[in-house]
Amino acid sequence: METNNNKMQKRHVRTGDTVEVIAGNSKGKQGKVIEVLTKKDRVVVEGVNVIKKHVKPNAQNPQGEIQEVEGSIHISNVAVLDPESGKPSRVGRKENDKGKLQRYAKSSGKFI
């Protein structure tokens, strides 16, 4: 049975957030979110899941090379760091002083 999910779903992680990996080979590592791949439910985190990519020879690089780049990991395997304690926290949404919805860390109640 197929579902038609054309509407974009809100994520608990945004580009620029500092997150900690809570599951997988890179568990415990912290880094900044470089990119959020919403259609695939994945994120690219700085310094996490580093893979080797083979690049073909071209005009700028006639020898070719092996580059180390960050691979993506599933969005459920990362948690946003609490701005107060620096520990992983769940994220919620509530209105701020101006009546606009804003993300907050559920562990401390501070806005992210």
Side-chain angles (χ1 to χ4, degrees):
M1 188 170 171
E2 285 186 38
T3 57
N4 193 0
N5 266 353
N6 290 340
K7 188 177 177 188
M8 292 297 269
Q9 196 174 3
K10 292 239 182 201
R11 308 282 179 222
H12 67 284
V13 177
R14 290 186 188 162
T15 303
D17 284 351
T18 306
V19 296
E20 183 172 318
V21 180
I22 57 173
N25 293 342
S26 302
K27 183 176 180 177
K29 288 187 181 178
Q30 295 181 354
K32 202 172 219 175
V33 176
I34 300 170
E35 186 180 6
V36 179
L37 308 167
T38 51
K39 289 183 180 176
K40 294 183 178 180
D41 286 340
R42 297 178 83 77
V43 290
V44 178
V45 182
E46 195 173 50
V48 174
N49 191 26
V50 177
I51 57 174
K52 292 183 187 248
K53 183 178 179 183
H54 293 69
V55 180
K56 278 184 168 183
N58 56 27
Q60 290 87 18
N61 190 5
Q63 199 62 29
E65 65 178 321
I66 301 172
Q67 295 178 342
E68 288 194 352
V69 294
E70 288 93 358
S72 65
I73 58 174
H74 200 270
I75 200 164
S76 66
N77 293 339
V78 297
V80 178
L81 293 181
D82 188 341
E84 191 173 89
S85 67
K87 294 182 178 177
S89 173
R90 292 175 66 128
V91 175
R93 290 180 181 81
K94 65 180 176 182
E95 287 187 3
N96 60 8
D97 304 340
K98 299 172 185 168
K100 188 168 182 175
L101 273 180
Q102 193 173 354
R103 296 180 307 149
Y104 74 99
K106 288 192 173 184
S107 57
S108 67
K110 299 282 182 188
F111 287 109
I112 298 172

